[in-house]
Amino acid sequence: MGTSRFTPEGALEPYMAWVKQATSKPVVTVGRFTSPDAMADHVRRGLVDLVGAARPSIADPFLPRKIEEGRPEDIRECIGCNICYSGDSLGVPIRCTQNPAMGEEWRRGWHPERIAPASAAETVLVVGAGPAGLEAARALGAKGHDVILAEAGRELGGRVVREAWLPGLAPYIRVRDHREQAFAKLSNVQVFRESRMSAQDVFDVAPQHVVIATGAEWRRDRFDGAAWRAVATGDARPMTPDDIMDGERPEGPVVVFDQDGYVLGGVIAEALAREGLAVNYVTESDSVSAWAGHTTERWRVRARLMELGVEIATAQALTAWDGAEAELVCGYSGAERRVAAAGAVLVTQRIPRDGLYHDLLAEAGGEASALPFTLTRIGDAEAPGLVAQAVHAGRRYAEELGADIDPDAPVRHERPQLEAPVPRRPAAPLAAAAAAETSALHPDYLPTLLRYWEEEIEGEAYFRALAERLPEPREKERMILLAEVERRTAADARPLIDRHGLSPAPEAQLIAAGRAAAAAGPQDWPTLFAEMRRAYPGYVAAFEALEALGPAPDHPLLARMTEHEVCAVAFLEAEAAGAPDATAPLLRFLCVPPVAPAPA
């Protein structure tokens, strides 16, 4: 799980290069492979037969297809940041810096490659070509909008271009490269470099939508838990990561105060130490680069700083710096001490660079609705965060532009159902309507519906009884799955029984009948399996006939009843063929949310 900062591609080659000499079996290896060239190199040299690429497949699930089709330029190459893994250690949904659709495929309906086309092409001005602006422009262009991307500087990429020059962070430039390459295939995206926008410039462009993605900048003070406090006294001026990335350098010895806890504090301390400065890394946390523990690299950061001779002070706050000495205060004892420091770099927090957003609001008297275009902030310009969050914000803006999003339920949620809902009879005022509907039904419909529903209760008892008798765990598992399918079908179809005022036999009686059938039928797996394969296709035809008898409002639930027999037949055929995932049809049936019954 090494990150790109510390682990090169194919890092496990020294450990596995001998394996093919020791076995005739196919050999697979992992090792932070991201580029097709590195993967192919290992195969061509005969080191391995297969390459395992988990994180690269998170960044681009279609990576193998793009290699096969000769489209390497379309690959969203993993940058090795391990943000995907941080979701696991934090207990939150997975994220990917390169692929903003990761984790949103089901709950938001995002696809990593496709995006729903816009109902009508509109002009969108994106101000700022950092991670958020680049992804917004790319996704908006893919939707069919006419996009104008204005960047104040010469280079696209914003923070990732600057950060990629720091030690070990060069792969981060792929965030920019992938999106810049995408523009070559999007004729509706116009890119304007060295185009710093004023409020009047925006009005002159006259777009229908404006999105501000102008990023953020590092602060020169620190937050003490209650308020922002200046650190420098007198004429002293501390530096920030922005200054370091602009090429400025402090005098040594230098204190690097890391209140951010992720990448930049440790990286800047490393960069300055490599340039020969005496560096004192100070953090209020109990560990170096504390948040980087979620990406598995915290211990590597500390080891690297120790190798470079960086002095490390944990649980210490930098409270004052006068240009010659820094005052440190222990977070536990409150003890103060002073260390020599001709320079200081504060890696604390960032503040949105959103002046243009507020200038545009001011032109409309503070009311965004008074502007001739929609106005939105995204990414660091709205709330400074990870690069992955900025990229996600760009995709989200494009997805939601023109969409009707319920603010109270913006995403799908899982709703586990631990018990079947308690059935409710139709209210008294509906009795007359129900009677009228019943009189128009086919005379065979209701008796057949009732009997088939009762057979689901019997079927669950039947399969559970078989599960108790069969000796093999694999056979027991399959019987239990079939019992769950029967139970789920009965629960899903219960609204039909209630709608028509039907009165099933007592549940205990149905369960007893199911268990009796299990006792009277085949008792060994081969005979039982053969009998099921013979009988089940006929059950599908029977349920399809029931659908044909039923009224239109009942069809969705009747189709669900038929589907449970279809999936059972698919399971039996897959099992007969020896498929390793033979139970997949049953599992898919159980995972489908309950069908909402149509109004009668």
Side-chain angles (χ1 to χ4, degrees):
M1 285 295 295
T3 60
S4 56
R5 184 176 167 196
F6 298 102
T7 307
E9 281 198 80
L12 298 186
E13 180 177 341
Y15 300 93
M16 47 62 59
W18 59 273
V19 176
K20 277 188 65 65
Q21 303 170 23
T23 180
S24 61
K25 302 295 184 183
V27 176
V28 60
T29 187
V30 294
R32 216 188 66 72
F33 289 95
T34 65
S35 73
D37 293 334
M39 297 176 195
D41 173 70
H42 270 60
V43 176
R44 286 171 180 157
R45 286 193 288 136
L47 296 172
V48 296
D49 301 289
L50 301 167
V51 171
R55 286 174 289 170
S57 297
I58 292 172
D60 194 334
F62 294 89
L63 186 152
R65 179 183 295 177
K66 292 176 181 178
I67 295 174
E68 183 180 34
E69 294 176 352
R71 297 190 290 121
E73 73 280 0
D74 292 336
I75 293 173
R76 280 189 306 278
E77 190 171 344
C78 171
I79 68 172
C81 63
N82 271 10
I83 286 299
C84 54
Y85 182 75
S86 71
D88 185 68
S89 60
L90 288 165
V92 300
I94 189 172
R95 283 284 176 265
C96 175
T97 300
Q98 279 284 62
N99 176 14
M102 174 52 58
E104 302 289 16
E105 299 90 341
W106 177 76
R107 71 174 201 156
R108 293 188 191 271
W110 295 1
H111 190 280
E113 296 292 299
R114 300 190 298 270
I115 188 168
S119 57
E122 297 183 296
T123 302
V124 186
L125 171 63
V126 180
V127 183
L134 286 172
E135 177 60 17
R138 184 207 64 79
L140 287 164
K143 287 190 72 169
H145 290 297
D146 295 318
V147 182
I148 300 170
L149 177 61
E151 165 56 37
R154 180 64 189 165
E155 279 197 278
L156 306 184
R159 62 180 288 190
V160 295
V161 173
R162 294 155 60 77
E163 293 174 9
W165 284 100
L166 294 170
L169 300 186
Y172 281 47
I173 200 65
R174 296 172 188 161
V175 175
R176 187 274 310 273
D177 290 350
H178 172 70
R179 287 151 183 89
E180 190 171 16
Q181 286 170 191
F183 295 156
K185 298 183 179 182
L186 294 169
S187 59
N188 53 330
V189 177
Q190 300 182 72
V191 178
F192 294 88
R193 304 167 189 262
E194 297 178 328
S195 299
R196 186 176 298 277
M197 302 293 289
S198 66
Q200 186 56 53
D201 293 331
V202 173
F203 282 106
D204 291 343
V205 171
Q208 290 161 289
H209 307 280
V210 175
V211 54
I212 305 298
T214 43
E217 57 191 34
W218 287 92
R219 301 182 63 116
R220 296 185 191 276
D221 48 12
R222 60 178 285 270
F223 189 66
D224 69 358
W228 291 100
R229 307 292 185 189
V231 170
T233 61
D235 295 331
R237 178 181 178 273
M239 289 186 178
T240 71
D242 289 324
D243 298 322
I244 300 300
M245 290 184 285
D246 285 339
E248 295 186 45
R249 291 295 181 267
E251 296 181 15
V254 59
V255 166
V256 175
F257 179 52
D258 184 7
Q259 204 174 40
D260 175 63
Y262 183 33
V263 170
L264 284 189
V267 168
I268 287 173
E270 176 182 344
L272 297 178
R274 288 186 180 281
E275 293 177 11
L277 292 177
V279 179
N280 196 326
Y281 172 93
V282 178
T283 178
E284 292 172 302
S285 174
D286 285 339
S287 61
V288 172
S289 298
W291 202 90
H294 300 303
T295 55
T296 75
E297 56 191 326
R298 177 177 59 195
W299 68 274
R300 295 177 184 269
V301 176
R302 180 160 193 148
R304 176 67 56 79
L305 296 185
M306 292 172 68
E307 290 171 5
L308 294 171
V310 173
E311 294 290 331
I312 295 173
T314 59
Q316 303 280 315
L318 173 62
T319 57
W321 174 67
D322 61 8
E325 290 185 320
E327 181 181 87
L328 308 182
V329 177
C330 176
Y332 291 103
S333 67
E336 299 179 1
R337 68 186 181 100
R338 300 183 72 83
V339 298
V345 181
L346 303 186
V347 189
T348 57
Q349 295 187 29
R350 290 177 296 149
I351 187 169
R353 193 184 294 113
D354 57 358
L356 177 58
Y357 174 83
H358 291 290
D359 289 346
L360 290 167
L361 279 181
E363 293 290 333
E367 295 292 334
S369 59
L371 290 167
F373 42 74
T374 67
L375 178 63
T376 309
R377 284 177 296 183
I378 63 171
D380 289 348
E382 180 184 26
L386 302 170
V387 175
Q389 292 165 330
V391 174
H392 184 276
R395 173 67 180 263
R396 183 175 178 181
Y397 175 82
E399 289 276 1
E400 296 184 353
L401 183 64
D404 185 16
I405 304 296
D406 182 352
D408 296 320
V411 297
R412 295 173 66 189
H413 295 278
E414 292 178 337
R415 295 178 175 84
Q417 182 174 305
L418 303 180
E419 286 290 338
V422 177
R424 297 195 302 181
R425 299 289 182 183
L430 298 179
E437 175 191 295
T438 301
S439 65
L441 295 175
H442 190 284
D444 292 338
Y445 174 62
L446 292 183
T448 307
L449 171 64
L450 177 60
R451 183 58 197 146
Y452 284 12
W453 185 86
E454 289 175 332
E455 287 176 355
E456 303 307 316
I457 305 298
E458 293 176 3
E460 179 188 359
Y462 172 82
F463 288 119
R464 291 197 187 281
L466 289 173
E468 295 168 6
R469 292 188 176 91
L470 291 169
E472 294 297 325
R474 183 173 178 275
E475 299 163 5
K476 289 179 179 289
E477 175 204 22
R478 278 147 174 72
M479 291 300 100
I480 291 172
L481 269 177
L482 286 167
E484 287 296 316
V485 168
E486 297 286 287
R487 187 178 73 85
R488 175 63 183 275
T489 305
D492 285 358
R494 180 69 203 218
L496 294 180
I497 303 300
D498 296 335
R499 170 182 291 173
H500 297 293
L502 302 177
S503 299
E507 185 171 341
Q509 177 182 323
L510 298 173
I511 292 173
R515 296 186 69 85
Q523 300 298 299
D524 64 284
W525 174 255
T527 306
L528 172 65
F529 186 75
E531 176 60 20
M532 290 169 65
R533 286 190 72 197
R534 182 197 64 79
Y536 267 60
Y539 296 160
V540 174
F543 275 89
E544 289 175 340
L546 177 64
E547 283 189 64
L549 293 176
D554 290 5
H555 284 173
L557 293 181
L558 293 174
R560 179 70 169 160
M561 296 178 76
T562 303
E563 183 186 357
H564 98 283
E565 300 290 4
V566 172
C567 81
V569 171
F571 152 68
L572 293 169
E573 294 308 308
E575 184 77 1
D581 61 342
T583 59
L586 305 179
L587 296 171
R588 282 195 294 270
F589 179 87
L590 293 171
C591 289
V592 172
V595 177

